[in-house]
Amino acid sequence: MIIDYFDRSVPDDLQADLCIIGAGPAGIAIARAFLGTATRVCLIEGGGLAGEDRSQSLYEGDWTGDAPFDAGTSRMRVFGGSCTLWGGGCIPLADSDMAPREWVPDSGWPIRYDDLAPWYARARDFCRIDPSHGFGPGAFDGPLPRQPLDLDPDALVNFVFARSPITFGDAYREDMRRAPNISLLLHANVMELESTADASRVTGARIGTLDGRRGRVFARHYVLAAGGIENARILLLSDSVAPNGLGNDRDLVGRYFMDHPSGTIGTIRADDPDRVTRPYERTIGKVRAPFAPEIGLSLKAQRDHRSLNARVHPFAVEGQVPRGIRALRDVRAALRPPTRDEAALLEARLCAALQNGPGGTAAVQQNLAISAVRLGLHIGDVVRAVAQKVADRPTVRSDRVELVGFFEQAPQRDSRVTLGDERDALGQRRVRVDWRLNELDRHTWHTTTLLTGARLAAACNGHFEPEPWTHGAAPPGVHGTAHHMGTTRMADDPSRGVVDAQCKVHGVANLHIAGSSTFPTGGWAFPTFTIVALSLRLADHLRVLLTACEHSGLA
């Protein structure tokens, strides 16, 4: 059932067997694993079923560090989580991403690819990816719409990723509405996890609304699934008993914050730049391809150059647009109704902030009548464009190629999420993100540029012009990609991580954490597929624990 905590007919305090905090892909996956069981699940979401500016403002914070970081626009507070805005990219981590690398300090997971493989298979079903297509470490086996480039395997590899056709909030809303044993509690913001006097067990989740209502959710087991930043923030805010925050005896909560830094590493100028860009386009016509390739550094290159993992995407930048095509685009824009809905406007603003490709020209609203006249005068351009599309050629000639890199970030202790001095509308301290980048990160940017630029330019008989920042001649030209990782990292040793291999918080008996905040390293892979796999694995573990509680009579 779906319950809005703004509704005063709902009791202030609620009781469940399992309390899950955060209704993004991790929280939904865990809750859904208990559909039709006797386990009572309370899935807590701070936002509503659609985006709201007032709820979104609770994510705002400040930043310091080596690159700009906006905590308020790099995630979304809504049922379905930040994946309400995602592109659907799914790919498993490679085993080499999870293994210790002697040139990467603090690398290595306590689990490996084989430990996750059964749950990757279930994650494929959860993400509604065609089950007839297999996968392995670091890649899918899906059919590609176009043949990718033949790359030098000592340097570069084509990795195939799958595209999920769903957003989780839309796909699984009815499951939550109909489930008699699952309560999706909207607009309930977790303000603190309360604990026993020795902080060894969570006793309740204190919740509140923006209109001043307060209450608690009591459960046998709790899961934090609120994202890479908010998981750490909630633990740090839970300081009534543990002065440094719950699970933070060793000052590790919030540390090792990582993202996937991204930036344009250079430009290729060539007579036929489409030879490089067309194989890596993610759409066929207007349809998103279910599988697509990405260009990544080979494992041999990473070892030889002692670099982190990385991928590069070639983006086509249009040259002069024929007048008929420009008029057709103006007509379509003029016919498109203006966006006035609060949720749609919020999503548009966040999408603009999270843009991961090269910058484009802002659209200007055109007069429909004038645009229609221009379209008629230059209809020949449209006819030629149709012929080009039928021949699987671009309708507008590319002027150049911009190579955009997406990089693994080195885990480092001083890159961290802390609590700032400012407070939000609930009276809670806002986050401060200190995003640090180090010499291994810079070496990876330089190595990726060196190994990809000239090789991809040669594929289209072009010339590569690197960006100065990639070899240290300018400030870092990178930004985040909203893949927040590492702040509650996984390790068997409590002195090296916040959670163990089962994602249980060290020293807290009934608290687990789901999501990419548990990643010790991130590879280059889109993190959602691994988030879902880890969450489904955790759900199976919680099933065992809750059954043991029931049989033993523990509250």
Side-chain angles (χ1 to χ4, degrees):
M1 67 191 77
I2 298 178
I3 302 169
D4 196 325
Y5 200 54
F6 277 138
D7 182 354
R8 293 286 176 165
S9 67
V10 176
D12 290 342
D13 298 338
L14 294 96
Q15 189 83 38
D17 299 309
L18 176 63
C19 175
I20 305 168
I21 299 158
I28 293 173
I30 296 170
R32 195 170 174 274
F34 287 90
L35 279 173
T37 70
T39 301
R40 297 168 301 160
V41 178
C42 182
L43 177 60
I44 301 177
E45 170 55 49
L49 293 175
E52 304 157 341
D53 288 325
R54 193 179 177 201
S55 290
Q56 184 67 25
S57 69
L58 297 174
Y59 273 161
E60 293 172 1
D62 61 5
W63 67 273
T64 183
D66 298 326
F69 189 93
D70 187 348
T73 60
S74 61
R75 50 209 171 124
M76 191 171 184
R77 201 176 188 93
V78 68
F79 175 64
S82 298
C83 280
T84 300
L85 309 174
W86 78 322
C90 292
I91 190 168
L93 286 169
D95 195 62
S96 55
D97 292 322
M98 304 173 78
R101 287 165 280 174
E102 51 96 6
W103 66 93
V104 183
D106 292 312
S107 62
W109 293 47
I111 60 174
R112 299 290 289 274
Y113 173 84
D114 285 345
D115 297 310
L116 268 186
W119 288 277
Y120 272 136
R122 285 169 53 185
R124 177 181 56 189
D125 296 337
F126 180 81
C127 295
R128 298 187 184 173
I129 297 166
D130 188 342
S132 67
H133 300 295
F135 60 86
F140 270 88
D141 298 329
L144 298 177
R146 301 185 180 95
Q147 182 65 33
L149 295 174
D150 186 14
L151 302 171
D152 176 2
D154 286 343
L156 304 174
V157 181
N158 287 303
F159 294 104
V160 178
F161 74 90
R163 176 93 70 170
S164 170
I166 64 171
T167 56
F168 303 112
D170 290 338
Y172 294 118
R173 182 179 304 172
E174 279 306 303
D175 284 354
M176 300 298 106
R177 191 185 305 279
R178 294 176 181 175
N181 67 310
I182 298 175
S183 297
L184 169 60
L185 189 62
L186 301 173
H187 297 117
N189 302 282
V190 173
M191 304 172 69
E192 183 178 10
L193 293 176
E194 298 175 328
S195 66
T196 54
D198 59 357
S200 65
R201 190 175 189 86
V202 176
T203 57
R206 186 163 61 88
I207 57 177
T209 63
L210 284 167
D211 65 356
R213 189 178 188 191
R214 300 292 183 264
R216 287 171 174 80
V217 176
F218 301 105
R220 294 177 175 181
H221 282 270
Y222 297 80
V223 177
L224 262 181
I229 293 176
E230 208 68 6
N231 280 348
R233 184 191 182 203
I234 290 172
L235 289 177
L236 294 172
L237 287 170
S238 302
D239 58 359
S240 293
V241 172
N244 295 325
L246 196 60
N248 197 29
D249 293 346
R250 294 170 174 82
D251 190 28
L252 289 174
V253 171
R255 291 190 181 274
Y256 294 97
F257 173 74
M258 300 175 291
D259 200 337
H260 284 136
S262 174
T264 300
I265 62 173
T267 301
I268 295 175
R269 300 188 184 276
D271 291 335
D272 189 12
D274 299 321
R275 289 177 59 185
V276 169
T277 59
R278 291 292 275 176
Y280 300 96
E281 289 181 357
R282 298 174 179 177
T283 58
I284 304 298
K286 294 184 178 180
V287 179
R288 297 197 305 178
F291 297 92
E294 284 289 295
I295 301 168
L297 295 186
S298 69
L299 180 57
K300 184 178 187 303
Q302 294 173 55
R303 286 172 173 164
D304 289 349
H305 294 270
R306 298 173 70 84
S307 83
L308 300 162
N309 209 341
R311 67 181 172 98
V312 168
H313 191 88
F315 287 91
V317 179
E318 288 185 340
Q320 184 174 357
V321 180
R323 285 175 288 183
I325 301 299
R326 188 164 60 247
L328 177 61
R329 292 176 180 177
D330 290 343
V331 167
R332 288 173 173 169
L335 290 172
R336 195 175 299 126
T339 300
R340 302 187 187 279
D341 176 73
E342 179 186 14
L345 288 169
L346 175 60
E347 289 184 20
R349 178 167 62 86
L350 296 182
C351 283
L354 294 174
Q355 181 177 318
N356 288 327
T361 303
V364 179
Q365 191 72 23
Q366 300 291 330
N367 180 279
L368 178 58
I370 294 175
S371 298
V373 170
R374 288 174 177 165
L375 176 60
L377 291 173
H378 303 286
I379 195 66
D381 292 336
V382 177
V383 173
R384 284 186 287 274
V386 170
Q388 287 286 91
K389 182 170 289 189
V390 170
D392 194 30
R393 298 284 297 171
T395 56
V396 177
R397 182 179 176 83
S398 299
D399 176 65
R400 64 189 186 278
V401 178
E402 287 195 13
L403 296 184
V404 178
F406 300 83
F407 309 100
E408 179 180 14
Q409 182 181 348
Q412 55 173 317
R413 182 182 173 87
D414 290 335
S415 184
R416 66 186 303 194
V417 171
T418 59
L419 300 178
D421 297 325
E422 294 186 2
R423 295 184 180 267
D424 63 20
L426 294 168
Q428 304 285 90
R429 293 171 65 188
R430 295 189 181 276
V431 293
R432 173 176 293 139
V433 179
D434 186 357
W435 188 27
R436 302 284 185 94
L437 303 164
N438 65 16
E439 287 307 311
L440 182 54
D441 296 315
R442 294 175 175 84
H443 171 67
T444 299
W445 308 337
H446 177 68
T447 299
T448 304
T449 305
L450 184 70
L451 293 179
T452 59
R455 285 176 170 84
L456 296 181
C460 59
N461 298 316
H463 172 70
F464 177 65
E465 302 167 359
E467 290 290 328
W469 68 267
T470 61
H471 50 271
V478 295
H479 56 81
T481 52
H483 296 165
H484 309 145
M485 299 172 284
T487 55
T488 63
R489 68 195 324 253
M490 185 191 303
D492 285 329
D493 183 351
S495 68
R496 298 187 62 243
V498 176
V499 302
D500 64 17
Q502 296 295 339
C503 295
K504 185 187 78 68
V505 176
H506 288 295
V508 186
N510 63 339
L511 177 60
H512 290 74
I513 297 181
S516 52
S517 67
T518 66
F519 291 14
T521 53
W524 73 255
F526 316 114
T528 303
F529 195 56
T530 300
I531 288 172
V532 173
L534 278 171
S535 299
L536 293 171
R537 176 176 176 265
L538 174 57
D540 283 359
H541 179 62
L542 288 166
R543 234 185 236 272
V544 174
L545 294 178
L546 286 163
T547 300
C549 284
E550 184 177 337
H551 289 165
S552 66
L554 291 174

